[in-house]
């Protein structure tokens, strides 16, 4: 349950970050609302997970999911370039998240 909350927090962080890319000052209301609600929900789920998991593990997993998720979205949705060094770095983040999950 706690790990599900943490995954949900990470996914919601990615959704909120995507919306952030579409915010144009205050001209576009929907992306601003999605971003605000998304980050609030993400922080709520993260805080709930921290009630059981240590802060370091929860935060590292949350940021790892967010980093990998938004990089994949940027690559496939926004057509941003992804270099070999970035792929290796993301794989190291993934290994770290898996290691934290296995040892928590």
């Amino acid at each position: 349950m706690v790990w599900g909350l943490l995954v949900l927090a990470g996914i919601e962080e990615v959704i909120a970050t995507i919306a952030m890319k579409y915010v144009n000052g205050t001209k576009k209301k929907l992306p601003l609302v999605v971003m605000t609600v998304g980050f609030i929900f993400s922080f709520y789920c993260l805080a709930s997970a921290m009630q059981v998991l240590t802060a370091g593990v929860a935060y590292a997993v949350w940021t790892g999911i967010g980093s990998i998720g938004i990089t994949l979205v940027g690559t496939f949705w926004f057509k941003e370039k992804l270099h070999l060094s970035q792929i290796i770095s993301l794989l190291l983040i993934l290994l770290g998240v898996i290691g934290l999950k296995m040892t928590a």
Side-chain angles (χ1 to χ4, degrees):
M1 177 65 182
V2 174
W3 287 97
L5 275 175
L6 200 50
V7 169
L8 188 60
I11 291 170
E12 195 57 43
E13 180 190 12
V14 172
I15 291 168
T17 305
I18 293 167
M20 187 186 304
K21 188 144 173 104
Y22 290 103
V23 171
N24 183 9
T26 56
K27 294 179 179 142
K28 295 183 178 179
K29 299 292 185 210
L30 182 61
L32 188 60
V33 170
V34 170
M35 181 189 76
T36 304
V37 171
F39 279 127
I40 289 170
F41 185 64
S42 180
F43 287 133
Y44 173 78
C45 290
L46 175 62
S48 297
M50 283 184 173
Q51 300 303 309
V52 176
L53 299 172
T54 62
V57 169
Y59 187 75
V61 171
W62 178 70
T63 58
I65 292 169
S67 298
I68 292 169
I70 198 61
T71 300
L72 292 174
V73 168
T75 301
F76 294 109
W77 188 331
F78 298 120
K79 307 298 183 209
E80 298 170 353
K81 300 241 186 238
L82 188 62
H83 303 285
L84 180 60
S85 60
Q86 292 169 311
I87 294 170
I88 291 169
S89 298
L90 290 171
L91 288 173
L92 290 172
I93 292 171
L94 180 62
L95 285 174
V97 168
I98 291 169
L100 289 169
K101 165 70 170 97
M102 293 175 67
T103 59

